């Protein structure tokens, strides 16, 4: 006799633009199975990524125009949806940094099994201060899923939680037929992601690119994405007199071909969680140059095997790494040869087994 379906709700800010949102879309694909029914619930009306299962858009379902009333209405609609659809498991994929809001949210979730995903080493986005408030919020959680081992270790050491597990972010093999087309004549290194200076540290990236002088060898820096700090980046490019060598490209849903044809991709973040851009780059066979920020890069980059990892906030060392990847052909070819194989353990199929085991074990124990 077949067991009844497990109804799982993945709750996210949206399904657009960001890494956590991209993860939510992949998670819906990973856990969709004969015995799991997926419900994607988004707070804001923004959908760029493909997903599996049902979609409930609180942004369009709510009718209030006044901000406070709209939030209250969304809470009511969420509570109603969880009840009417017999949701067994909630996977909360949002930032959670406001204690009162999160306390009310946990009341809405009720006695269901709750899995919270921690996407960043910037713990203040997920654990309200002071510490005892966070402990009250999370003490009854089924699991805190951390996207890197360094995040899990930090949560255990700093906050004392033991109900933790690390499950890495996966990559998805994308059909390049639908990818954005890129000219074969372009020589470039690539950043792709959100234009957020406080997180991504474009100042460091642009300064190191300028110092490296790899533009003299015909290589440009392409910045692919969008975000609140576009003007800041444009001004920084002008300040460093890099207008001729740095190109800003708009966000595209599928950057696969941009990634595959880049010489290498670059990450200079202040902090991360488990940066999917690095994983997606390696999966496409493209080496990486990254700073050793907290957290993720050192769990992805194998120095001189699939890329180069340098001390964070060190523009001279970063510029040397950029230059080395251009000039040292033996190193570059070796890293490129190893790139895709180095992330095989992060395939959608592999990571989906871990998520399904977590969900089904916790619902059937």
């Amino acid at each position: 006799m077949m067991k009844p379906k497990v109804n799982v709700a993945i709750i996210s800010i949206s399904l657009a633009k960001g890494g956590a949102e991209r993860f939510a879309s992949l998670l819906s694909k990973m856990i969709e199975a004969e015995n799991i029914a997926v419900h994607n619930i988004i707070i804001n009306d923004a959908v760029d990524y493909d997903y599996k299962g049902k979609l409930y858009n609180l942004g369009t379902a709510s009718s209030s125009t006044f901000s406070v009333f709209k939030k209250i209405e969304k809470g009511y609609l969420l509570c109603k949806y969880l009840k009417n659809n017999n949701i067994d498991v909630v996977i909360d994929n949002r930032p959670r940094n406001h204690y009162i809001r999160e306390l009310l949210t946990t009341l809405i979730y009720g006695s269901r099994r709750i899995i919270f995903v921690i996407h960043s080493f910037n713990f203040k986005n997920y654990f309200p201060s002071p510490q005892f408030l966070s402990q009250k919020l999370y003490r009854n959680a089924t699991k805190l899923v951390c996207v890197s081992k360094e995040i899990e270790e930090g949560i255990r050491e700093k906050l004392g939680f033991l109900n933790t597990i690390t499950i890495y972010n996966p990559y998805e093999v994308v059909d390049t037929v639908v990818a954005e087309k890129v000219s074969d004549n372009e020589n470039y290194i690539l950043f792709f992601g959100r234009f957020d200076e406080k997180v991504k540290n474009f100042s460091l990236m642009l300064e190191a690119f300028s110092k490296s002088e790899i533009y003299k060898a015909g290589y440009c820096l392409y910045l692919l994405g969008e975000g609140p700090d576009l003007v800041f980046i444009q001004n920084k490019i002008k300040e460093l007199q890099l207008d001729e060598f740095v190109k800003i490209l708009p966000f595209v849903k599928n950057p696969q071909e941009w990634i595959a044809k880049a010489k290498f991709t670059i990450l200079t973040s202040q902090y991360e969680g488990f940066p999917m851009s690095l994983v997606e780059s390696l999966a496409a066979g493209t080496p990486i140059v990254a700073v050793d920020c907290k957290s993720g890069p050192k769990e992805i980059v194998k120095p001189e095997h699939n890329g180069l990892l340098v001390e964070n906030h060190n523009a001279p060392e970063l510029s040397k790494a950029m230059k080395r990847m251009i000039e040292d052909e033996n190193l570059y070819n070796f890293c490129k040869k190893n790139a895709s194989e180095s992330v095989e353990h992060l395939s959608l199929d592999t990571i989906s087994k871990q998520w399904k085991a977590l969900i089904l074990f916790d619902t059937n124990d």
Side-chain angles (χ1 to χ4, degrees):
M1 193 172 186
M2 276 191 69
K3 293 179 181 178
K5 273 196 171 185
V6 177
N7 286 293
V8 177
I10 304 170
I11 302 181
S12 305
I13 295 297
S14 73
L15 285 173
K17 308 288 188 296
E21 291 76 15
R22 172 68 173 146
F23 165 80
S25 76
L26 292 177
L27 181 58
S28 72
K29 298 176 183 180
M30 285 191 286
I31 66 173
E32 188 197 40
E34 188 174 303
N35 202 42
I36 299 177
V38 180
H39 300 255
N40 300 279
I41 302 176
I42 56 175
I43 310 301
N44 298 328
D45 178 25
V47 180
D48 287 322
Y49 300 125
D50 298 329
Y51 59 89
K52 293 288 186 181
K54 296 180 179 178
L55 175 66
Y56 186 52
N57 187 336
L58 289 168
T60 56
S62 55
S63 57
S64 300
T65 54
F66 188 58
S67 177
V68 174
F69 291 151
K70 194 171 186 69
K71 290 176 181 177
I72 293 171
E73 185 183 10
K74 285 181 179 180
Y76 168 76
L77 292 171
L78 173 60
C79 184
K80 186 177 177 182
Y81 186 90
L82 296 176
K83 181 179 179 181
N84 291 346
N85 289 274
N86 299 312
I87 299 299
D88 303 294
V89 180
V90 170
I91 301 175
D92 192 326
N93 192 55
R94 305 167 303 123
R96 296 172 293 275
N97 54 9
H98 191 288
Y99 178 72
I100 299 300
R101 182 186 64 207
E102 297 314 317
L103 181 62
L104 293 172
T105 303
T106 56
L107 293 175
I108 291 172
Y109 292 164
S111 60
R112 297 174 179 87
R113 294 182 180 274
I114 313 299
I115 298 171
F116 293 101
V117 187
I118 316 298
H119 282 286
S120 172
F121 200 86
N122 187 15
F123 290 163
K124 67 182 182 181
N125 285 342
Y126 293 90
F127 299 95
S129 296
Q131 184 173 325
F132 77 89
L133 294 179
S134 291
Q135 289 170 334
K136 282 187 71 174
L137 283 177
Y138 291 113
R139 64 187 175 191
N140 294 322
T142 302
K143 263 312 183 262
L144 303 181
V145 173
C146 308
V147 299
S148 77
K149 289 179 181 177
E150 194 169 5
I151 288 177
E152 183 177 11
E153 289 167 2
I155 289 172
R156 284 176 169 253
E157 290 172 10
K158 295 178 182 179
L159 300 169
F161 290 109
L162 299 178
N163 54 339
T164 60
I165 187 174
T166 295
I167 302 180
Y168 288 134
N169 289 339
Y171 68 88
E172 181 181 29
V173 177
V174 180
D175 182 3
T176 55
V177 172
V178 298
E180 186 88 3
K181 294 298 178 184
V182 184
S183 169
D184 291 328
N185 299 320
E186 298 180 67
N187 293 321
Y188 60 92
I189 66 173
L190 177 70
F191 165 86
F192 62 104
R194 185 165 171 77
F195 293 166
D196 186 337
E197 169 65 12
K198 288 182 180 178
V199 179
K200 302 300 183 182
N201 201 356
F202 290 96
S203 297
L204 174 64
M205 185 188 304
L206 291 166
E207 182 185 349
F209 176 72
S210 179
K211 286 179 181 294
S212 74
E213 296 187 338
I214 61 174
Y215 50 81
K216 291 182 179 179
Y219 286 89
C220 291
L221 168 62
Y222 286 4
L223 308 177
L224 177 63
E226 64 180 30
D229 290 324
L230 173 60
V231 173
F232 172 87
I233 295 167
Q234 290 171 328
N235 290 337
K236 194 71 179 178
I237 292 168
K238 289 177 183 175
E239 177 189 324
L240 294 170
Q241 298 180 345
L242 293 172
D243 306 68
E244 188 180 344
F245 310 112
V246 181
K247 184 176 180 180
I248 296 177
L249 304 166
F251 169 83
V252 293
K253 181 179 176 181
N254 182 357
Q256 181 76 6
E257 196 162 343
W258 288 106
I259 299 168
K261 290 187 176 180
K263 183 70 172 180
F264 60 87
T265 61
I266 186 162
L267 184 96
T268 56
S269 298
Q270 305 274 10
Y271 58 85
E272 284 284 347
F274 192 75
M276 294 178 71
S277 63
L278 297 187
V279 177
E280 290 170 347
S281 178
L282 292 171
T286 301
I288 49 186
V289 172
V291 298
D292 187 17
C293 67
K294 292 182 177 292
S295 66
K298 70 181 178 184
E299 295 176 46
I300 300 169
V301 184
K302 299 176 182 178
E304 301 189 2
H305 181 82
N306 62 4
L308 296 175
L309 188 67
V310 302
E311 179 186 37
N312 204 358
H313 309 296
N314 190 330
E317 288 302 311
L318 181 59
S319 68
K320 288 177 186 175
M322 290 182 181
K323 196 170 183 179
R324 191 177 172 200
M325 287 294 268
I326 298 296
E327 295 180 348
D328 190 336
E329 289 187 19
N330 290 333
L331 170 69
Y332 178 79
N333 290 332
F334 185 69
C335 290
K336 188 169 182 64
K337 177 175 72 74
N338 296 324
S340 59
E341 184 182 11
S342 71
V343 290
E344 284 181 350
H345 64 293
L346 301 173
S347 70
L348 210 63
D349 287 344
T350 300
I351 302 300
S352 68
K353 291 173 184 174
Q354 297 175 43
W355 272 101
K356 288 174 185 175
L358 174 63
I359 292 165
L360 295 176
F361 173 80
D362 282 333
T363 51
N364 294 326
D365 60 1

